[in-house]
Amino acid sequence: MLRLSKKTDYALISLTYVASQGDRPASAREIAERHDIPLELLAKVLQRLVQRGVLKSQQGIHGGYLLARPADTVTVAEVVEAIDGPLQLTVCGTSDERCEQFSKCNIRDPLHRIRDRIIGALAACTVSELVNDRHDEPVAMPIAIGGMAIAGRRSHGSDH
Amino acid sequence: MLRLSKKTDYALISLTYVASQGDRPASAREIAERHDIPLELLAKVLQRLVQRGVLKSQQGIHGGYLLARPADTVTVAEVVEAIDGPLQLTVCGTSDERCEQFSKCNIRDPLHRIRDRIIGALAACTVSELVNDRHDEPVAMPIAIGGMAIAGRRSHGSDH
DNA sequence: CTAAACTAGGACTGTTCCAGTCGTATTTAG
DNA sequence: CTAAATACGACTGGAACAGTCCTAGTTTAG
């Protein structure tokens, strides 16, 4: 354990990409294809980032996502919490939740301090830094990757 | 995600307790009862810590576990790695393992740096510190004498 | 020598929770 | 009106963790 969820991973990848695109809105489909991420899953991640005020969305046919705030104000810690919820090192909450073993737990406080330090490590990195350190082709946009990129269209109500 | 496994949690609790008992070996049963941990599961955790050279065991009827090294040389990072294996923030390994999305991943290096910082946070805390900060009834601790101290089993200790 | 209490360790089951999918509604542009 | 996009809830599958069971080997007491 002690790893990021895939959703959080996808969120960071997406934010980095969106930030690298400046004012041009990036659609979920575009992000998914460029990074090999399941579209439907990615969509939910992006929507949650919108709810949390990290991204803003533009609906409609030429819609997509943009950063809601400057890239250097969005920390990795914030993204992790937005997707996975508050960081808890153990099941018996980090604060004052109750668990049967609570009173018998001899390492509550030190663990709490370690948690704070981990959050600190996550908070020390912003999306802006992610963008600067990425190694990513800026906007090449390969239309055909080993065949029809759009071939995987899902069935929609054909003739009715 | 981004939480410790129960096993790691149990390992830290056990090490803290074992360390607090000085030269008296603590049995798996004793640790399990005092902290409400399933005995069989705990046993495997302790065995792994022996294999990793963190604990040493004493077999036979009055057997149990002792620290294999001074408490201030055992870090939380080491315990986490002993139980959960090497820390990986994402499935596509932190180093040079391969995953399909690897080449398309735009946040590899920053994530790697964050991982190092987290390990640093874990390495900064030793079992010795855990012992000092615990809030645990020390169980009648005439350790200096060693040998005969048979700690009574306490079923419920509700402090605070 | 035998029984009891312990460690050692493999095999097995149960369960949770993440990852991914599906279906449908809504918005926007041409 | 239709196509392409966001929005969102409900559902399924599966991997990995959590926990159990069983057997073997070790040491001490009587």
mmCIF file of all heavy atoms in Angstrom, chain B residues 19-54:
data_model
loop_
_atom_site.group_PDB
_atom_site.id
_atom_site.type_symbol
_atom_site.label_atom_id
_atom_site.label_comp_id
_atom_site.label_asym_id
_atom_site.label_seq_id
_atom_site.Cartn_x
_atom_site.Cartn_y
_atom_site.Cartn_z
ATOM 1 N N ALA B 19 9.900 -2.841 22.078
ATOM 2 C CA ALA B 19 10.977 -1.958 22.511
ATOM 3 C C ALA B 19 10.738 -1.451 23.927
ATOM 4 O O ALA B 19 11.676 -1.287 24.708
ATOM 5 C CB ALA B 19 11.100 -0.776 21.550
ATOM 6 N N SER B 20 9.478 -1.248 24.258
ATOM 7 C CA SER B 20 9.163 -0.719 25.586
ATOM 8 C C SER B 20 9.385 -1.764 26.675
ATOM 9 O O SER B 20 9.410 -1.436 27.853
ATOM 10 C CB SER B 20 7.709 -0.242 25.630
ATOM 11 O OG SER B 20 6.831 -1.341 25.777
ATOM 12 N N GLN B 21 9.510 -3.000 26.274
ATOM 13 C CA GLN B 21 9.659 -4.085 27.247
ATOM 14 C C GLN B 21 11.111 -4.433 27.548
ATOM 15 O O GLN B 21 11.374 -5.372 28.286
ATOM 16 C CB GLN B 21 8.919 -5.330 26.752
ATOM 17 C CG GLN B 21 7.434 -5.127 26.585
ATOM 18 C CD GLN B 21 6.759 -4.750 27.895
ATOM 19 O OE1 GLN B 21 6.829 -5.486 28.864
ATOM 20 N NE2 GLN B 21 6.123 -3.583 27.917
ATOM 21 N N GLY B 22 12.001 -3.695 26.950
ATOM 22 C CA GLY B 22 13.409 -3.924 27.260
ATOM 23 C C GLY B 22 13.872 -5.318 26.899
ATOM 24 O O GLY B 22 13.645 -5.783 25.785
ATOM 25 N N ASP B 23 14.471 -5.988 27.843
ATOM 26 C CA ASP B 23 15.067 -7.294 27.554
ATOM 27 C C ASP B 23 14.096 -8.456 27.695
ATOM 28 O O ASP B 23 14.449 -9.598 27.414
ATOM 29 C CB ASP B 23 16.251 -7.551 28.487
ATOM 30 C CG ASP B 23 17.440 -6.712 28.098
ATOM 31 O OD1 ASP B 23 17.432 -6.209 26.958
ATOM 32 O OD2 ASP B 23 18.354 -6.537 28.920
ATOM 33 N N ARG B 24 12.907 -8.146 28.138
ATOM 34 C CA ARG B 24 11.941 -9.216 28.295
ATOM 35 C C ARG B 24 11.307 -9.544 26.953
ATOM 36 O O ARG B 24 10.742 -8.657 26.315
ATOM 37 C CB ARG B 24 10.843 -8.784 29.265
ATOM 38 C CG ARG B 24 9.884 -9.894 29.644
ATOM 39 C CD ARG B 24 8.845 -9.366 30.615
ATOM 40 N NE ARG B 24 7.919 -8.467 29.957
ATOM 41 C CZ ARG B 24 6.875 -8.887 29.239
ATOM 42 N NH1 ARG B 24 6.660 -10.170 29.103
ATOM 43 N NH2 ARG B 24 6.079 -8.028 28.685
ATOM 44 N N PRO B 25 11.401 -10.792 26.504
ATOM 45 C CA PRO B 25 10.783 -11.119 25.214
ATOM 46 C C PRO B 25 9.267 -11.041 25.322
ATOM 47 O O PRO B 25 8.684 -11.495 26.305
ATOM 48 C CB PRO B 25 11.247 -12.546 24.942
ATOM 49 C CG PRO B 25 11.724 -13.082 26.235
ATOM 50 C CD PRO B 25 12.115 -11.937 27.089
ATOM 51 N N ALA B 26 8.636 -10.452 24.312
ATOM 52 C CA ALA B 26 7.177 -10.351 24.285
ATOM 53 C C ALA B 26 6.639 -11.380 23.312
ATOM 54 O O ALA B 26 7.100 -11.461 22.172
ATOM 55 C CB ALA B 26 6.755 -8.946 23.860
ATOM 56 N N SER B 27 5.689 -12.158 23.733
ATOM 57 C CA SER B 27 5.128 -13.186 22.851
ATOM 58 C C SER B 27 4.073 -12.589 21.934
ATOM 59 O O SER B 27 3.492 -11.539 22.218
ATOM 60 C CB SER B 27 4.503 -14.307 23.674
ATOM 61 O OG SER B 27 3.282 -13.865 24.230
ATOM 62 N N ALA B 28 3.839 -13.267 20.836
ATOM 63 C CA ALA B 28 2.834 -12.805 19.882
ATOM 64 C C ALA B 28 1.471 -12.721 20.549
ATOM 65 O O ALA B 28 0.724 -11.761 20.346
ATOM 66 C CB ALA B 28 2.781 -13.754 18.686
ATOM 67 N N ARG B 29 1.173 -13.709 21.372
ATOM 68 C CA ARG B 29 -0.127 -13.718 22.048
ATOM 69 C C ARG B 29 -0.297 -12.493 22.941
ATOM 70 O O ARG B 29 -1.348 -11.845 22.930
ATOM 71 C CB ARG B 29 -0.256 -14.990 22.891
ATOM 72 C CG ARG B 29 -1.539 -15.070 23.711
ATOM 73 C CD ARG B 29 -1.585 -16.362 24.499
ATOM 74 N NE ARG B 29 -1.358 -17.513 23.637
ATOM 75 C CZ ARG B 29 -2.325 -18.174 23.010
ATOM 76 N NH1 ARG B 29 -3.572 -17.791 23.159
ATOM 77 N NH2 ARG B 29 -2.042 -19.193 22.244
ATOM 78 N N GLU B 30 0.741 -12.195 23.658
ATOM 79 C CA GLU B 30 0.688 -11.037 24.551
ATOM 80 C C GLU B 30 0.437 -9.743 23.775
ATOM 81 O O GLU B 30 -0.422 -8.942 24.147
ATOM 82 C CB GLU B 30 2.018 -10.947 25.321
ATOM 83 C CG GLU B 30 2.139 -9.706 26.186
ATOM 84 C CD GLU B 30 3.564 -9.581 26.748
ATOM 85 O OE1 GLU B 30 4.321 -10.570 26.679
ATOM 86 O OE2 GLU B 30 3.908 -8.482 27.232
ATOM 87 N N ILE B 31 1.172 -9.575 22.703
ATOM 88 C CA ILE B 31 1.002 -8.366 21.893
ATOM 89 C C ILE B 31 -0.398 -8.303 21.303
ATOM 90 O O ILE B 31 -1.058 -7.273 21.306
ATOM 91 C CB ILE B 31 2.050 -8.323 20.761
ATOM 92 C CG1 ILE B 31 3.468 -8.339 21.354
ATOM 93 C CG2 ILE B 31 1.857 -7.099 19.887
ATOM 94 C CD1 ILE B 31 4.557 -8.508 20.324
ATOM 95 N N ALA B 32 -0.851 -9.441 20.828
ATOM 96 C CA ALA B 32 -2.163 -9.499 20.181
ATOM 97 C C ALA B 32 -3.266 -9.135 21.161
ATOM 98 O O ALA B 32 -4.168 -8.351 20.846
ATOM 99 C CB ALA B 32 -2.400 -10.889 19.602
ATOM 100 N N GLU B 33 -3.186 -9.693 22.370
ATOM 101 C CA GLU B 33 -4.241 -9.428 23.350
ATOM 102 C C GLU B 33 -4.228 -7.983 23.813
ATOM 103 O O GLU B 33 -5.270 -7.353 23.952
ATOM 104 C CB GLU B 33 -4.085 -10.368 24.548
ATOM 105 C CG GLU B 33 -4.562 -11.781 24.231
ATOM 106 C CD GLU B 33 -4.322 -12.739 25.387
ATOM 107 O OE1 GLU B 33 -3.665 -12.331 26.364
ATOM 108 O OE2 GLU B 33 -4.770 -13.900 25.297
ATOM 109 N N ARG B 34 -3.053 -7.461 24.026
ATOM 110 C CA ARG B 34 -2.973 -6.096 24.521
ATOM 111 C C ARG B 34 -3.450 -5.070 23.511
ATOM 112 O O ARG B 34 -3.873 -3.975 23.880
ATOM 113 C CB ARG B 34 -1.534 -5.753 24.914
ATOM 114 C CG ARG B 34 -1.174 -6.195 26.314
ATOM 115 C CD ARG B 34 0.190 -5.671 26.692
ATOM 116 N NE ARG B 34 0.212 -4.231 26.788
ATOM 117 C CZ ARG B 34 0.047 -3.552 27.921
ATOM 118 N NH1 ARG B 34 -0.174 -4.188 29.028
ATOM 119 N NH2 ARG B 34 0.089 -2.245 27.915
ATOM 120 N N HIS B 35 -3.347 -5.402 22.237
ATOM 121 C CA HIS B 35 -3.686 -4.401 21.228
ATOM 122 C C HIS B 35 -4.831 -4.802 20.318
ATOM 123 O O HIS B 35 -5.087 -4.157 19.300
ATOM 124 C CB HIS B 35 -2.442 -4.066 20.385
ATOM 125 C CG HIS B 35 -1.308 -3.508 21.184
ATOM 126 N ND1 HIS B 35 -0.276 -4.282 21.641
ATOM 127 C CD2 HIS B 35 -1.063 -2.246 21.627
ATOM 128 C CE1 HIS B 35 0.582 -3.517 22.327
ATOM 129 N NE2 HIS B 35 0.125 -2.294 22.336
ATOM 130 N N ASP B 36 -5.489 -5.890 20.676
ATOM 131 C CA ASP B 36 -6.676 -6.289 19.919
ATOM 132 C C ASP B 36 -6.348 -6.584 18.462
ATOM 133 O O ASP B 36 -6.980 -6.058 17.540
ATOM 134 C CB ASP B 36 -7.717 -5.174 19.974
ATOM 135 C CG ASP B 36 -8.975 -5.666 20.650
ATOM 136 O OD1 ASP B 36 -8.885 -6.610 21.440
ATOM 137 O OD2 ASP B 36 -10.050 -5.119 20.350
ATOM 138 N N ILE B 37 -5.351 -7.397 18.259
ATOM 139 C CA ILE B 37 -4.935 -7.755 16.903
ATOM 140 C C ILE B 37 -5.110 -9.262 16.742
ATOM 141 O O ILE B 37 -4.778 -10.022 17.650
ATOM 142 C CB ILE B 37 -3.450 -7.396 16.692
ATOM 143 C CG1 ILE B 37 -3.222 -5.904 16.929
ATOM 144 C CG2 ILE B 37 -2.982 -7.810 15.306
ATOM 145 C CD1 ILE B 37 -1.757 -5.492 16.917
ATOM 146 N N PRO B 38 -5.646 -9.709 15.608
ATOM 147 C CA PRO B 38 -5.795 -11.147 15.374
ATOM 148 C C PRO B 38 -4.439 -11.848 15.514
ATOM 149 O O PRO B 38 -3.475 -11.480 14.839
ATOM 150 C CB PRO B 38 -6.310 -11.228 13.945
ATOM 151 C CG PRO B 38 -6.981 -9.934 13.710
ATOM 152 C CD PRO B 38 -6.225 -8.924 14.523
ATOM 153 N N LEU B 39 -4.400 -12.865 16.346
ATOM 154 C CA LEU B 39 -3.126 -13.499 16.671
ATOM 155 C C LEU B 39 -2.412 -14.070 15.455
ATOM 156 O O LEU B 39 -1.213 -13.852 15.260
ATOM 157 C CB LEU B 39 -3.361 -14.610 17.706
ATOM 158 C CG LEU B 39 -2.149 -15.476 18.035
ATOM 159 C CD1 LEU B 39 -1.020 -14.625 18.591
ATOM 160 C CD2 LEU B 39 -2.525 -16.562 19.037
ATOM 161 N N GLU B 40 -3.139 -14.816 14.644
ATOM 162 C CA GLU B 40 -2.502 -15.498 13.512
ATOM 163 C C GLU B 40 -1.886 -14.501 12.536
ATOM 164 O O GLU B 40 -0.813 -14.721 11.991
ATOM 165 C CB GLU B 40 -3.520 -16.366 12.788
ATOM 166 C CG GLU B 40 -4.149 -17.447 13.659
ATOM 167 C CD GLU B 40 -3.119 -18.461 14.094
ATOM 168 O OE1 GLU B 40 -2.095 -18.576 13.400
ATOM 169 O OE2 GLU B 40 -3.333 -19.121 15.135
ATOM 170 N N LEU B 41 -2.639 -13.407 12.329
ATOM 171 C CA LEU B 41 -2.139 -12.390 11.405
ATOM 172 C C LEU B 41 -0.899 -11.714 11.973
ATOM 173 O O LEU B 41 0.109 -11.536 11.279
ATOM 174 C CB LEU B 41 -3.230 -11.359 11.143
ATOM 175 C CG LEU B 41 -2.889 -10.232 10.185
ATOM 176 C CD1 LEU B 41 -2.422 -10.770 8.853
ATOM 177 C CD2 LEU B 41 -4.084 -9.327 9.997
ATOM 178 N N LEU B 42 -0.986 -11.406 13.237
ATOM 179 C CA LEU B 42 0.148 -10.753 13.882
ATOM 180 C C LEU B 42 1.391 -11.646 13.824
ATOM 181 O O LEU B 42 2.508 -11.167 13.592
ATOM 182 C CB LEU B 42 -0.185 -10.443 15.331
ATOM 183 C CG LEU B 42 0.953 -9.814 16.151
ATOM 184 C CD1 LEU B 42 1.313 -8.457 15.596
ATOM 185 C CD2 LEU B 42 0.584 -9.737 17.615
ATOM 186 N N ALA B 43 1.177 -12.935 14.014
ATOM 187 C CA ALA B 43 2.307 -13.863 14.018
ATOM 188 C C ALA B 43 3.092 -13.763 12.716
ATOM 189 O O ALA B 43 4.323 -13.734 12.707
ATOM 190 C CB ALA B 43 1.805 -15.284 14.230
ATOM 191 N N LYS B 44 2.350 -13.690 11.623
ATOM 192 C CA LYS B 44 3.048 -13.604 10.335
ATOM 193 C C LYS B 44 3.812 -12.303 10.183
ATOM 194 O O LYS B 44 4.901 -12.260 9.608
ATOM 195 C CB LYS B 44 2.056 -13.786 9.193
ATOM 196 C CG LYS B 44 1.626 -15.229 9.062
ATOM 197 C CD LYS B 44 1.145 -15.533 7.690
ATOM 198 C CE LYS B 44 -0.129 -14.777 7.418
ATOM 199 N NZ LYS B 44 -0.809 -15.324 6.233
ATOM 200 N N VAL B 45 3.243 -11.244 10.709
ATOM 201 C CA VAL B 45 3.930 -9.953 10.651
ATOM 202 C C VAL B 45 5.235 -10.025 11.427
ATOM 203 O O VAL B 45 6.298 -9.611 10.947
ATOM 204 C CB VAL B 45 3.023 -8.843 11.214
ATOM 205 C CG1 VAL B 45 3.801 -7.560 11.391
ATOM 206 C CG2 VAL B 45 1.833 -8.626 10.300
ATOM 207 N N LEU B 46 5.154 -10.590 12.612
ATOM 208 C CA LEU B 46 6.347 -10.665 13.454
ATOM 209 C C LEU B 46 7.407 -11.548 12.806
ATOM 210 O O LEU B 46 8.604 -11.238 12.841
ATOM 211 C CB LEU B 46 5.964 -11.210 14.837
ATOM 212 C CG LEU B 46 5.012 -10.319 15.638
ATOM 213 C CD1 LEU B 46 4.556 -11.022 16.905
ATOM 214 C CD2 LEU B 46 5.669 -8.990 15.963
ATOM 215 N N GLN B 47 6.945 -12.632 12.194
ATOM 216 C CA GLN B 47 7.906 -13.524 11.544
ATOM 217 C C GLN B 47 8.642 -12.809 10.418
ATOM 218 O O GLN B 47 9.830 -13.010 10.197
ATOM 219 C CB GLN B 47 7.179 -14.765 11.029
ATOM 220 C CG GLN B 47 6.835 -15.752 12.140
ATOM 221 C CD GLN B 47 5.690 -16.670 11.791
ATOM 222 O OE1 GLN B 47 5.413 -16.924 10.619
ATOM 223 N NE2 GLN B 47 5.012 -17.180 12.810
ATOM 224 N N ARG B 48 7.893 -11.987 9.709
ATOM 225 C CA ARG B 48 8.532 -11.256 8.619
ATOM 226 C C ARG B 48 9.571 -10.280 9.152
ATOM 227 O O ARG B 48 10.626 -10.088 8.552
ATOM 228 C CB ARG B 48 7.472 -10.491 7.829
ATOM 229 C CG ARG B 48 7.976 -9.952 6.533
ATOM 230 C CD ARG B 48 7.264 -10.621 5.360
ATOM 231 N NE ARG B 48 6.665 -9.679 4.462
ATOM 232 C CZ ARG B 48 5.404 -9.708 4.037
ATOM 233 N NH1 ARG B 48 4.583 -10.614 4.497
ATOM 234 N NH2 ARG B 48 4.966 -8.871 3.168
ATOM 235 N N LEU B 49 9.255 -9.679 10.276
ATOM 236 C CA LEU B 49 10.206 -8.733 10.863
ATOM 237 C C LEU B 49 11.460 -9.456 11.335
ATOM 238 O O LEU B 49 12.552 -8.891 11.324
ATOM 239 C CB LEU B 49 9.543 -7.982 12.029
ATOM 240 C CG LEU B 49 8.436 -7.009 11.627
ATOM 241 C CD1 LEU B 49 7.774 -6.401 12.850
ATOM 242 C CD2 LEU B 49 8.987 -5.903 10.721
ATOM 243 N N VAL B 50 11.301 -10.717 11.726
ATOM 244 C CA VAL B 50 12.475 -11.515 12.085
ATOM 245 C C VAL B 50 13.314 -11.782 10.839
ATOM 246 O O VAL B 50 14.530 -11.590 10.834
ATOM 247 C CB VAL B 50 12.057 -12.854 12.736
ATOM 248 C CG1 VAL B 50 13.260 -13.775 12.876
ATOM 249 C CG2 VAL B 50 11.422 -12.601 14.092
ATOM 250 N N GLN B 51 12.634 -12.177 9.768
ATOM 251 C CA GLN B 51 13.344 -12.464 8.519
ATOM 252 C C GLN B 51 14.119 -11.251 8.033
ATOM 253 O O GLN B 51 15.205 -11.389 7.459
ATOM 254 C CB GLN B 51 12.350 -12.883 7.435
ATOM 255 C CG GLN B 51 11.729 -14.248 7.652
ATOM 256 C CD GLN B 51 10.576 -14.504 6.700
ATOM 257 O OE1 GLN B 51 10.110 -13.587 6.014
ATOM 258 N NE2 GLN B 51 10.103 -15.738 6.663
ATOM 259 N N ARG B 52 13.553 -10.080 8.252
ATOM 260 C CA ARG B 52 14.197 -8.857 7.786
ATOM 261 C C ARG B 52 15.223 -8.326 8.757
ATOM 262 O O ARG B 52 15.756 -7.243 8.567
ATOM 263 C CB ARG B 52 13.146 -7.783 7.519
ATOM 264 C CG ARG B 52 12.255 -8.091 6.355
ATOM 265 C CD ARG B 52 13.084 -8.495 5.138
ATOM 266 N NE ARG B 52 12.427 -8.124 3.904
ATOM 267 C CZ ARG B 52 12.494 -6.912 3.374
ATOM 268 N NH1 ARG B 52 13.198 -5.981 3.940
ATOM 269 N NH2 ARG B 52 11.872 -6.665 2.245
ATOM 270 N N GLY B 53 15.461 -9.053 9.859
ATOM 271 C CA GLY B 53 16.502 -8.633 10.777
ATOM 272 C C GLY B 53 16.121 -7.474 11.671
ATOM 273 O O GLY B 53 16.984 -6.794 12.230
ATOM 274 N N VAL B 54 14.816 -7.228 11.801
ATOM 275 C CA VAL B 54 14.382 -6.150 12.682
ATOM 276 C C VAL B 54 14.128 -6.703 14.084
ATOM 277 O O VAL B 54 14.494 -6.099 15.075
ATOM 278 C CB VAL B 54 13.104 -5.481 12.135
ATOM 279 C CG1 VAL B 54 12.587 -4.439 13.115
ATOM 280 C CG2 VAL B 54 13.394 -4.845 10.785
#
